[in-house]
Amino acid sequence: MGVFHFTATTMPALFSAFSTGQLLAPKYLLWMWHGFLTTLQLSAVTVLLSTLLGLLLASAYGADYRPLRAAAVWFTSLFRNTPLLVQLLFWYFGVPALFADGWMEWLNASHRLDLGVFTLSWPSFEFVAAMFGLVLYSTAYVSEEIRAGIRGVPATQTLAGAAIGLTPVQVQRYIVLPQAVRIALPPLLGQYMNILKNTSLTMGIGLAELSYTSRQVEAETFLTFQAFGVATLLYVVAIAVIESIGHWYQQTRALQHASGRRK
């Protein structure tokens, strides 16, 4: 017995869902667009910060100072072995319980910094909590991909750096890490795609990202197929852009490598 059952009326029903009377109104599409922008903003911040912290964490694994190595192992184990949703709930509900009475009022108040050309606005506490949860969770995974890249760099590269008088820190910064990032880029792009998809879990703490707004649109319009269909399409487009960037970079690197060998 199959899981999906199609009848003679199935396909007409799907097409009729997009008939003129059942399209989402522009205001609902605007809601979802704003949610999509929030998803992209949170994803971009998470990718940037988790990559920077992942580089530091991966370097800490190779440090000579044993407590630093132990701290890196502890951090990775803690955040890789805890569900992301639990971490988000901890940052949103658990941490504020430790704050003084006036702190939450300040965090939830509107703050703006006028820079003349543009104005910076303080994000909502939902966004801040989501950022902390996603960044720390993603850092544990990103650092492992970078560590794999570091292991892919030949040991002779480190020895050559030491032979020309570079310190261990300089060897890591100028020789090992640049090569490790290039090696680790394909799996890193996979992690970046996961980051974008993981932002959907932040609806559990009330952040008005794409999944949250599509659920709100569905609840108000009862147009379930249309609301989640648009959300799915936007996620697919965003993932496809990241994937295309990865393919473009790999092709560019292959062409550069081929031209270098011909020379």
Side-chain angles (χ1 to χ4, degrees):
M1 178 181 292
V3 177
F4 299 100
H5 301 279
F6 287 89
T7 66
T9 59
T10 299
M11 292 308 295
L14 289 176
F15 284 114
S16 66
F18 288 98
S19 63
T20 305
Q22 291 186 317
L23 292 177
L24 292 174
K27 77 169 186 175
Y28 297 122
L29 293 175
L30 187 60
W31 287 7
M32 298 184 70
W33 177 251
H34 286 313
F36 183 54
L37 292 180
T38 300
T39 291
L40 294 181
Q41 291 170 358
L42 181 58
S43 299
V45 171
T46 303
V47 165
L48 176 62
L49 294 180
S50 64
T51 301
L52 294 176
L53 293 175
L55 286 168
L56 295 176
L57 190 61
S59 299
Y61 267 95
D64 295 330
Y65 188 52
R66 182 176 296 179
L68 187 59
R69 295 200 307 270
V73 172
W74 175 83
F75 179 96
T76 304
S77 299
L78 174 64
F79 287 99
R80 280 173 64 96
N81 297 321
T82 312
L84 176 56
L85 183 58
V86 173
Q87 296 183 37
L88 292 171
L89 294 174
F90 170 78
W91 287 106
Y92 187 69
F93 292 108
V95 172
L98 305 176
F99 289 168
D101 294 337
W103 284 21
M104 283 304 299
E105 294 181 9
W106 186 89
L107 287 173
N108 286 314
S110 177
H111 304 287
R112 295 180 181 275
L113 178 61
D114 190 0
L115 299 177
V117 180
F118 58 91
T119 302
L120 292 177
S121 299
W122 180 262
S124 65
F125 181 68
E126 289 80 5
F127 188 95
V128 174
M131 182 188 69
F132 270 95
L134 279 171
V135 167
L136 295 176
Y137 178 84
S138 302
T139 295
Y141 286 89
V142 168
S143 67
E144 288 299 296
E145 303 297 354
I146 296 174
R147 279 186 67 208
I150 291 175
R151 289 195 292 268
V153 178
T156 52
Q157 297 285 314
T158 302
L159 296 175
I164 62 175
L166 296 180
T167 66
V169 174
Q170 290 174 326
V171 169
Q172 287 289 321
R173 179 180 177 183
Y174 297 112
I175 297 178
V176 176
L177 287 180
Q179 295 183 72
V181 170
R182 285 196 293 270
I183 295 171
L185 186 61
L188 277 177
L189 286 174
Q191 291 298 335
Y192 296 157
M193 294 178 196
N194 287 335
I195 287 173
L196 191 144
K197 291 181 287 187
N198 284 340
T199 58
S200 62
L201 290 177
T202 61
M203 70 180 294
I205 59 173
L207 181 65
E209 43 72 59
L210 180 56
S211 295
Y212 182 95
T213 53
S214 62
R215 180 67 184 88
Q216 292 297 102
V217 169
E218 187 274 338
E220 184 158 327
T221 64
F222 298 103
L223 298 177
T224 305
F225 184 84
Q226 291 88 329
F228 292 115
V230 170
T232 299
L233 180 61
L234 290 173
Y235 278 120
V236 168
V237 168
I239 293 296
V241 169
I242 297 175
E243 203 167 15
S244 298
I245 292 173
H247 287 315
W248 170 82
Y249 179 82
Q250 288 179 314
Q251 290 175 354
T252 302
R253 290 291 303 170
L255 290 174
Q256 290 175 347
H257 182 69
S259 62
R261 292 182 63 181
R262 285 196 296 268
K263 292 179 181 179

